[in-house]
Amino acid sequence: LLHHALFQTGKFRHRASRHVLSAGPASATVLFSDNFSSGASAAWGDQSGNGRTTGGVYDAGNPEQPVTYTDVTTLPGLTNFSLSVDVNSVDDGGVWIRSSYTAGSISGVLLVTGGSIGSNKRLYWHTVVNGAFSRVQQPVGIPGLRDSNIQLRIDVVGDTYSAFENGNAVAATTLTTNLFASGSAGLYNFSPTNGAAFPLGQTFDYFSITDLTSIPNPALLPLMSPALIGLGLSRRKRATKPKQIT
């Protein structure tokens, strides 16, 4: 995996941490978290897109080169997990899930935020096999999504991928596929104004991965959701970010 000058502003600083939560019969461990406030964790790998941090947020310096892919390289075999990320100024980007990058070829699940050929108002999925994208799957329109800031959580259990926005207990969109049993997780950015000094296009902040392998049944996930959301909110409150660099 490539580890070239990822996140060009500031040196790498590893801030991954582990916490244990209890929610009835299930427990969850935070495997990785990064709020980009002092640069990016050394765990990130910049395979495509010249990822960078600017003013405490992530974006891609070259969002069209050719498909951006930045993942947490220390967790290449994730199976059941929950991913949380703050998405700023939704335009066109997304999250890679159970993904891999081999010799320039990407495989995995991609949740797109915005997109929709410029309308930037939907959440939807693609499955990607050796760089070949599927059709749009399970699209859902979100009123006011374009240019908004959202908190996004994705739960992955078995063959089911569920995306929740802004703390909602009901998934906005769910994908079922058996194409990928495990993989990494990371960020995708296709926002056309990314790479500019200011203003930025879609950016990302506060990224975390929580292990769900101890959850024997997806039906137990609603029991855990308040605890997972509470952890995210408490960590966001503790994070500090410098002003935007212009």
Side-chain angles (χ1 to χ4, degrees), residues 5 8 19 38 45-46 68 71 76 79-80 84 86 93 97 104 107 123 125 129 164 178 190 222 224 227 231 238 241:
Q8 299 160 7
H19 298 270
S38 300
D46 179 28
T68 62
D71 73 333
T79 54
N80 296 342
S84 295
D86 290 349
I97 312 152
S107 294
L123 299 177
W125 311 83
V129 179
F164 304 80
N178 62 2
F190 196 57
M224 295 188 58
L231 175 69
R238 292 197 300 271
K241 298 194 302 178

Side-chain angles (χ1 to χ4, degrees), residues 101-120:
Y101 186 97
T102 305
S105 181
I106 303 170
S107 294
V109 171
L110 177 64
L111 175 68
V112 175
T113 55
S116 302
I117 316 178
S119 67
N120 315 123

Side-chain angles (χ1 to χ4, degrees), residues 26-225:
S27 63
T29 301
V30 177
L31 301 175
F32 174 84
S33 66
D34 196 356
N35 63 15
F36 307 111
S37 64
S38 300
S41 165
W44 289 103
D46 179 28
Q47 285 78 6
S48 177
N50 292 332
R52 66 179 189 175
T53 56
T54 303
V57 296
Y58 161 85
D59 78 344
N62 294 303
E64 298 180 10
Q65 183 188 348
V67 174
T68 62
Y69 186 92
T70 301
D71 73 333
V72 180
T73 60
T74 54
L75 298 171
L78 293 166
T79 54
N80 296 342
F81 63 98
S82 181
L83 184 157
S84 295
V85 64
D86 290 349
V87 185
N88 307 314
S89 301
V90 171
D91 182 85
D92 196 349
V95 181
W96 291 107
I97 312 152
R98 284 187 183 169
S99 60
S100 62
Y101 186 97
T102 305
S105 181
I106 303 170
S107 294
V109 171
L110 177 64
L111 175 68
V112 175
T113 55
S116 302
I117 316 178
S119 67
N120 315 123
K121 62 183 181 180
R122 296 194 296 177
L123 299 177
Y124 56 90
W125 311 83
H126 288 292
T127 54
V128 184
V129 179
N130 295 325
F133 281 66
S134 72
R135 61 177 176 79
V136 168
Q137 300 185 59
Q138 302 301 105
V140 60
I142 306 292
L145 182 64
R146 184 173 188 172
D147 294 326
S148 68
N149 299 335
I150 64 170
Q151 294 177 2
L152 189 64
R153 191 183 93 243
I154 304 164
D155 291 343
V156 184
V157 177
D159 295 338
T160 303
Y161 301 70
S162 304
F164 304 80
E165 45 93 23
N166 293 332
N168 287 322
V170 178
T173 177
T174 299
L175 174 73
T176 301
T177 177
N178 62 2
L179 286 176
F180 312 102
S182 65
S184 187
L187 297 171
Y188 160 78
N189 211 326
F190 196 57
S191 183
T193 57
N194 286 145
F198 190 82
L200 301 174
Q202 177 171 309
T203 62
F204 300 92
D205 189 11
Y206 185 79
F207 181 99
S208 71
I209 298 172
T210 301
D211 180 40
L212 296 181
T213 55
S214 60
I215 307 303
N217 189 320
L220 295 177
L221 281 174
L223 299 176
M224 295 188 58
S225 296

